[in-house]
Amino acid sequence: MSALDWIPVEIAAAARRRTLQPRENLFRQGDPVSGLFAIESGRVQMIRHDIHGRSVVLFTAVQGDLFAEAALFADIFYCDAVAVTETTVRIFPKSSLLALIERDQEAARKFMALLAHEVIQLRTRLELLNIRSASERVLRHLSLAAKPGNHIVELTGTLKELAGELGLTHEVLYRTLADLESEGLIERTDRLIRLKPTI
């Protein structure tokens, strides 16, 4: 099931499109919730800032992803959404989606299944962030992200973005990848990382 399967054709057809430039905000923390968003092209990061002004990347949405789902049931956004590259998003009005969920049990069931899948992904991410060793954290991420059968991870963003998602500085991630490569645990090309068998 794709992220948009639960949205009927008539609502999808009425969705507004917006194109963002790199580093442009789609919304900011505290803005009123206008709707739900889907990425047509590009990437958007959901970012929260702590009391010291440090940024924490909560999620990076890529082509085909729906994001800000939890905001559908809130009055304001609780993070910033910032374009990483030139990005086109579709905007589905909050009022239309809430009315759909209230009247259509099948759409509501599909939406709940989508949210349940996201809970699983968030728990996996929390598991990763609780691993203290940078090399173990990176290896665990790569093993979860690798395509079945070929042990290859295709990078969709930059290493700096990946570092933010893993809760590491980009310097630590670069160093860790270099160490893993020198230990013979991974092979790297421009956009690909291959996990090498340890046996």
Side-chain angles (χ1 to χ4, degrees):
M1 182 179 87
S2 86
L4 301 178
D5 282 351
W6 63 284
I7 300 176
V9 174
E10 63 273 14
I11 293 179
R16 191 166 55 89
R17 281 180 173 77
R18 180 173 168 193
T19 298
L20 304 163
Q21 297 307 307
R23 295 180 298 283
E24 184 179 353
N25 280 76
L26 176 61
F27 56 78
R28 295 181 186 275
Q29 184 174 338
D31 285 351
V33 174
S34 53
L36 221 53
F37 308 90
I39 303 281
E40 286 199 341
S41 63
R43 297 192 308 282
V44 168
Q45 287 186 329
M46 311 283 282
I47 299 172
R48 188 170 291 163
H49 306 281
D50 67 16
I51 58 171
H52 304 291
R54 292 176 298 218
S55 299
V56 178
V57 178
L58 304 176
F59 177 66
T60 300
V62 298
Q63 185 174 1
D65 282 344
L66 193 66
F67 64 101
E69 299 92 323
L72 196 57
F73 304 98
D75 295 323
I76 60 170
F77 291 110
Y78 288 93
C79 64
D80 295 349
V82 183
V84 178
T85 61
E86 183 174 310
T87 301
T88 300
V89 297
R90 293 172 72 192
I91 304 168
F92 300 92
K94 175 179 177 177
S95 57
S96 298
L97 295 181
L98 287 177
L100 171 67
I101 289 168
E102 286 180 14
R103 74 172 182 269
D104 187 329
Q105 288 187 348
E106 182 61 16
R109 187 193 65 74
K110 287 181 177 179
F111 183 57
M112 285 189 291
L114 179 69
L115 294 178
H117 177 70
E118 290 182 6
V119 168
I120 292 168
Q121 289 181 316
L122 286 171
R123 287 178 176 166
T124 300
R125 185 159 181 231
L126 284 174
E127 175 192 333
L128 284 174
L129 294 176
N130 284 326
I131 298 172
R132 293 182 65 86
S133 160
S135 60
E136 289 178 26
R137 189 182 302 181
V138 171
L139 281 173
R140 179 74 173 141
H141 167 76
L142 293 173
S143 68
L144 291 169
K147 294 180 180 177
N150 65 8
H151 310 292
I152 292 175
V153 177
E154 184 174 357
L155 298 175
T156 56
T158 65
L159 286 178
K160 192 170 184 178
E161 291 167 25
L162 177 59
E165 291 175 21
L166 293 175
L168 302 170
T169 65
H170 61 278
E171 295 90 354
V172 168
L173 177 60
Y174 298 157
R175 217 171 27 246
T176 301
L177 289 172
D179 290 345
L180 292 173
E181 193 166 23
S182 69
E183 292 166 18
L185 296 174
I186 64 170
E187 286 180 348
R188 294 172 60 198
T189 59
D190 185 36
R191 305 297 305 158
L192 301 175
I193 299 175
R194 185 171 77 86
L195 286 160
K196 295 179 73 175
T198 54
I199 296 174

